Amino acid sequence: MNHQLKTKLVSMLEVVYPSLDCDFLSDQLLSTMGLSPDQAPPPAHQNNWDESDIVLITYADSVQKDGQKPLVTLHQFLEDCLSETVSCVHILPFFPFSSDDGFAVMDYLAVNESHGNWEDVEAIASDFKLMADLVINHMSSRSRWFDNFKKRVDPGKDYFFEGNPRDDLSAVVRPRTSPLLTAVQTEDGERHVWCTFSEDQVDLNFANPKVLIEFAGIIREYLERGVIIFRLDAVAFLWKEPGTPSIHLQQTHELIKILRLLIEHHSPDAVIITETNVPNRENLTYFGNANEAHVIYNFSLPPLLINTLVTGDCRHLKTWLMSMPPAQMGTTYLNFIASHDGVGMRPTDGLLSEDEKQRLINTMDSFGGKVSYRRTADGRDQPYEINIALYDALKGTVESGADHWQLQRFICAHTVMLALEGIPAFYIHSLLGTENDLERVENTGRLRSINRSQWQIDTLEETLDNPLSHHSKVFHELKRLIAIRRKQPAFHPNATQFTLHLGLQVFGFWRQSMRRDQSVFCIHNISNEVQQIALSDINLIGTEHWVDLISGMTIDDLSGSITLKPYQSVWLTNRN
């Protein structure tokens, strides 16, 4: 019998666990996932997405209604307002938790009772592709596993990574300023557990293969509950070794390959997305050779695009875009400008100078933003992320401060994102134009709360029905642009992309469908001044009929020019 799956799995496991019986371990993993050793592989380089795919990122309780479970309210909002707009819903951790708005999970296999139940989750999964977080790096210090760790019993006794305060840990890369090791009293004395993010988020020990088997069981449960897209949270930190940076280690990459192998053999249409908020070159490594993540977050896009629009200069965005490799078939990018976290600054390393970073930080501070820090190996605190609502991040420019172009600048940012190679993802508070929630920051004491507002559904519906509200203007214009995008083959996430050179105030790129039957020239005025662009600089083909998908404007004279108002975008296509 051909045991192709098992043979491949064993070879991967031997990289991670060279001293263990990997043949036996592979049998345990396959049994846990309900797979046979000769399970047929999925088609190679298969794209489980197309131009119609749009992701919504939301907390389970971002939209609420008195007397109703938030997951039910969210489903109602999705059905009533977004059923023709988004194809995929990423519900941020909806499990019982002790801190970090869900990312300190207490029980991976339960739904937070205050949000709803598994039936509510499955109902959303029946209408939309469901993305869920696999919070794989760490677990709550109030979980049953960690209680068992302190009691020195299974399951949990050896599930958490321990460190020695005498070890040299100076090389460890972390996104926080809190101590790395936390002292814990256990039944057999004091132990020091590794906490990459906080003392309430204790890192799991994947050197113990029982932890991997546990997560195989968790993954299978999620698949059977309707989850089809897995976001591997903070996965870059998964494997730790004192004396190393303990980020991006080879064992981490191999574990991602193992998880992908198991997931895609169980469900060939399932997708893995890695969440690695790191410099661009490091981020790209998570594609592997099209055998790790199907999709990676385009973490450099948010800070670069915001910087472009507040400076009126696209040179850095253009340089970055030209350096980005086209994703292989079966892989692509997840494009986003805002998320539940802040605007990461590490992804700008090597892309913006230190002075440019500081100027961006100062500008965001003037627009009501906050800054979170991380501690470097030499003990310095460096800016890690800017905490700000995207609508307020784009309220003005570096030179002039707040101005009257906020709405247009905000729409321009999303028009750029919608057209780029990859899958667009909208954070719910960007889709709604939500502003800085400083009251929530004060109440929680956490800077990230600035962009984690909660809407009462009645208030939200009333606001969206008010044509004078900027929330309504944002929501309806973004829905209109999304509807246009979803019909264009040239906007397939893997369609060809080339950068155009139209000066520093105009950012442009060209997309061509994989069948080469549609071209779209995406041209954006990223400044607060009118821009004139000669059509000869765009190289439109004279035998084609050209129209702007956004405005309906037709191009009759290719020897002429087009005029773009401040922050205006055009999508010029030869097919409508």
Side-chain angles (χ1 to χ4, degrees):
M1 186 175 290
N2 179 13
H3 287 177
Q4 183 179 351
L5 171 57
K6 179 175 178 177
T7 300
K8 194 170 185 178
L9 180 58
V10 169
S11 68
M12 292 177 177
L13 289 168
E14 287 174 343
V15 176
V16 184
Y17 306 107
S19 62
L20 299 183
D21 182 351
C22 292
D23 188 83
F24 177 68
L25 178 54
S26 70
D27 288 339
Q28 290 180 295
L29 286 168
L30 293 174
S31 175
T32 301
M33 287 291 295
L35 300 174
S36 63
D38 55 350
Q39 187 101 12
H45 302 289
Q46 172 177 281
N47 292 327
N48 291 325
W49 46 77
D50 62 25
E51 59 272 16
S52 69
D53 279 306
I54 305 287
V55 177
L56 177 74
I57 305 167
T58 181
Y59 280 101
D61 58 355
S62 291
V63 182
Q64 302 181 4
K65 182 176 182 179
D66 291 343
Q68 189 175 71
K69 294 293 187 180
L71 280 167
V72 175
T73 308
L74 174 63
H75 193 189
Q76 176 187 326
F77 174 68
L78 292 169
E79 285 290 285
D80 292 347
C81 300
L82 295 173
S83 61
E84 301 298 320
T85 301
V86 303
S87 60
C88 167
V89 180
H90 172 199
I91 307 178
L92 291 153
F94 46 80
F95 319 106
F97 69 96
S98 54
S99 64
D100 198 18
D101 287 342
F103 285 93
V105 178
M106 297 172 64
D107 184 348
Y108 291 106
L109 297 178
V111 174
N112 188 333
E113 290 183 1
S114 66
H115 293 160
N117 55 38
W118 275 117
E119 286 69 29
D120 300 324
V121 173
E122 290 171 349
I124 294 174
S126 69
D127 292 325
F128 300 88
K129 297 178 184 178
L130 179 61
M131 185 194 307
D133 289 273
L134 193 66
V135 186
I136 195 168
N137 179 71
H138 49 261
M139 195 177 189
S140 169
S141 65
R142 291 170 53 191
S143 63
R144 181 173 68 93
W145 284 359
F146 197 67
D147 281 344
N148 287 348
F149 173 85
K150 291 184 288 186
K151 294 173 184 175
R152 312 309 297 146
V153 298
D154 288 323
K157 176 183 176 183
D158 300 313
Y159 281 14
F160 296 89
F161 195 85
E162 297 182 51
N164 188 328
R166 293 187 296 274
D167 287 338
D168 180 6
L169 303 176
S170 61
V172 174
V173 173
R174 298 180 60 225
R176 297 290 186 272
T177 58
S178 56
L180 175 62
L181 300 183
T182 298
V184 178
Q185 287 300 134
T186 74
E187 290 295 326
D188 57 8
E190 184 179 72
R191 292 173 177 265
H192 292 83
V193 291
W194 192 288
C195 300
T196 297
F197 291 91
S198 77
E199 65 178 23
D200 186 41
Q201 294 165 292
V202 187
D203 286 34
L204 291 155
N205 179 22
F206 274 85
N208 178 357
K210 291 181 181 178
V211 176
L212 178 59
I213 294 168
E214 291 275 15
F215 270 90
I218 292 164
I219 287 168
R220 182 179 179 182
E221 177 74 9
Y222 290 3
L223 285 165
E224 293 176 354
R225 294 290 190 176
V227 175
I228 201 65
I229 304 173
F230 290 82
R231 176 185 182 270
L232 304 189
D233 177 64
V235 72
F237 304 98
L238 203 60
W239 195 271
K240 295 94 167 128
E241 287 184 5
T244 75
S246 294
I247 186 173
H248 312 315
L249 297 187
Q250 182 57 40
Q251 292 91 336
T252 291
H253 286 281
E254 211 65 31
L255 284 165
I256 295 170
K257 293 176 190 176
I258 290 167
L259 294 177
R260 172 167 173 165
L261 188 72
L262 296 171
I263 288 171
E264 66 184 5
H265 276 77
H266 183 285
S267 300
D269 55 346
V271 170
I272 286 178
I273 299 181
T274 49
E275 188 265 333
T276 49
N277 188 1
V278 294
N280 195 52
R281 288 186 179 182
E282 298 172 27
N283 190 32
L284 290 170
T285 66
Y286 285 86
F287 277 139
N289 186 22
N291 60 351
E292 293 187 37
H294 296 89
V295 183
I296 64 171
Y297 278 80
N298 234 339
F299 272 108
S300 296
L301 179 61
L304 287 180
L305 185 51
I306 292 170
N307 185 72
T308 293
L309 288 163
V310 299
T311 61
D313 184 333
C314 69
R315 74 183 73 197
H316 296 308
L317 184 63
K318 187 164 66 172
T319 299
W320 165 77
L321 192 65
M322 288 188 292
S323 74
M324 292 295 283
Q328 293 187 55
M329 291 298 172
T331 68
T332 193
Y333 299 101
L334 189 75
N335 294 323
F336 72 109
I337 322 173
S339 73
H340 61 291
D341 290 337
V343 180
M345 294 303 292
R346 283 205 74 210
T348 65
D349 288 355
L351 301 173
L352 297 180
S353 70
E354 293 305 313
D355 286 345
E356 287 167 330
K357 292 179 189 179
Q358 191 58 53
R359 183 173 61 167
L360 178 60
I361 289 170
N362 293 343
T363 302
M364 295 301 100
D365 177 72
S366 72
F367 295 161
K370 311 292 181 182
V371 181
S372 298
Y373 292 85
R374 68 183 182 94
R375 185 151 296 154
T376 61
D378 59 5
R380 293 181 299 119
D381 288 351
Q382 291 274 44
Y384 176 68
E385 66 180 17
I386 301 170
N387 304 111
I388 192 168
L390 184 63
Y391 192 72
D392 281 330
L394 296 172
K395 72 190 316 179
T397 66
V398 168
E399 297 296 332
S400 306
D403 60 23
H404 63 283
W405 295 110
Q406 183 177 13
L407 176 63
Q408 292 83 352
R409 196 178 286 113
F410 186 80
I411 297 298
C412 179
H414 288 93
T415 309
V416 171
M417 182 189 76
L418 277 167
L420 286 170
E421 175 190 355
I423 302 169
F426 288 80
Y427 184 42
I428 190 169
H429 291 302
S430 293
L431 200 59
L432 301 174
T434 310
E435 298 156 291
N436 289 336
D437 194 338
L438 297 175
E439 182 179 352
R440 191 170 177 85
V441 172
E442 186 174 343
N443 290 341
T444 66
R446 299 190 299 272
L447 299 183
R448 284 179 168 177
S449 297
I450 198 169
N451 198 24
R452 298 181 179 181
S453 294
Q454 296 172 322
W455 282 89
Q456 287 294 317
I457 188 67
D458 294 341
T459 303
L460 178 58
E461 289 173 345
E462 182 180 339
T463 302
L464 295 181
D465 285 340
N466 177 6
L468 298 180
S469 161
H470 82 264
H471 302 285
S472 177
K473 293 175 183 177
V474 163
F475 186 67
H476 292 293
E477 180 60 10
L478 291 182
K479 284 184 64 176
R480 185 179 79 88
L481 291 170
I482 291 169
I484 295 169
R485 179 238 152 74
R486 297 184 76 186
K487 298 176 181 177
Q488 314 308 320
F491 287 154
H492 186 286
N494 294 92
T496 299
Q497 177 174 283
F498 284 109
T499 308
L500 303 176
H501 300 279
L502 302 170
L504 299 181
Q505 284 72 51
V506 178
F507 178 59
F509 48 93
W510 171 69
R511 303 293 310 279
Q512 184 183 60
S513 62
M514 291 187 285
R515 293 185 177 181
R516 300 187 178 182
D517 58 348
Q518 184 188 29
S519 289
V520 181
F521 289 85
C522 309
I523 303 168
H524 316 269
N525 179 358
I526 51 83
S527 77
N528 56 9
E529 298 178 350
V530 172
Q531 300 294 325
Q532 199 87 10
I533 300 129
L535 291 171
S536 58
D537 290 340
I538 307 174
N539 292 323
L540 301 181
I541 299 172
T543 56
E544 301 279 2
H545 173 74
W546 296 93
V547 61
D548 174 25
L549 291 165
I550 296 175
S551 69
M553 171 189 70
T554 57
I555 303 293
D556 298 316
D557 180 9
L558 296 186
S559 65
S561 63
I562 55 174
T563 301
L564 294 183
K565 300 174 185 176
Y567 306 107
Q568 182 183 353
S569 300
V570 294
W571 288 342
L572 298 177
T573 186
N574 57 347
R575 169 183 166 178
N576 57 9

